[in-house]
Amino acid sequence: MSLRRIGKRAAALVVTMIAALLVPLAVSAPAQAAQNVAAGTAAWTPEIYPLYSGERVWARDVPSANRNAALGACSLASGIACVSVGQGDGNHSVFHLFRCETRSLSNFIDALAVRNNQTGGAVVRFWGPNYRANIPADGRITEVVPNEAVYDFTHIDIC
């Protein structure tokens, strides 16, 4: 087999492998877009990044009436801080955190509440370019206001 034929076969193999990876992604894209539209144009998905091993999104789509109960259930164990933030549709996302690290926030827009049940006086700190908030480890549910501050927050530190 000539070198030219080997090169053409290798190129064809690479194109086939790329197509095998991209076609399933393209097929699933419309379904994902439909889910976002169904959620409503005012809804968004708050995120904390990174979530470390053992940390997680405790719950999504928690109705406002159940937010405090979800924060309490999330942070039952000592050493845990749970953060709830609005999704823009009357529901909340609740995050279960405990590792002493700094993280980035996205889509933290309103209705921020925290239950800091950490030990040793650890503080949950939020900050952005213009606002800061410190939540002590007192086991109470603390609402962070005004919303302008929540809009400004870009980072969280659990320490």
Side-chain angles (χ1 to χ4, degrees):
M1 194 179 289
S2 74
L3 190 57
R4 180 175 279 176
R5 289 183 89 181
I6 291 173
K8 285 183 179 179
R9 284 186 177 204
L13 180 62
V14 168
V15 169
T16 302
M17 291 175 67
I18 290 171
L21 290 171
L22 294 180
V23 168
L25 293 175
V27 169
S28 68
Q32 292 172 345
Q35 288 174 353
N36 290 339
V37 170
T41 56
W44 54 81
T45 304
E47 296 292 339
I48 296 177
Y49 180 81
L51 290 174
Y52 295 97
S53 179
E55 297 180 331
R56 65 191 178 279
V57 177
W58 179 265
R60 295 250 191 230
D61 303 319
V62 175
S64 292
N66 299 339
R67 181 197 69 188
N68 288 356
L71 278 169
C74 172
S75 61
L76 269 177
S78 63
I80 303 298
C82 290
V83 174
S84 170
V85 67
Q87 298 173 181
D89 58 358
N91 292 320
H92 303 262
S93 292
V94 179
F95 298 89
H96 178 267
L97 309 166
F98 61 86
R99 189 161 161 185
C100 183
E101 298 285 345
T102 299
R103 301 155 179 89
S104 297
L105 307 176
S106 63
N107 290 328
F108 269 54
I109 299 174
D110 74 350
L112 179 61
V114 178
R115 181 165 188 250
N116 185 359
N117 200 25
Q118 297 181 93
T119 57
V123 175
V124 175
R125 292 179 180 89
F126 293 92
W127 74 92
N130 301 307
Y131 292 92
R132 296 182 182 277
N134 296 321
I135 313 300
D138 59 12
R140 294 187 315 207
I141 294 175
T142 302
E143 293 186 20
V144 179
V145 290
N147 279 342
E148 291 78 22
V150 179
Y151 300 158
D152 182 69
F153 295 148
T154 56
H155 293 85
I156 182 175
D157 186 33
I158 308 291
C159 271

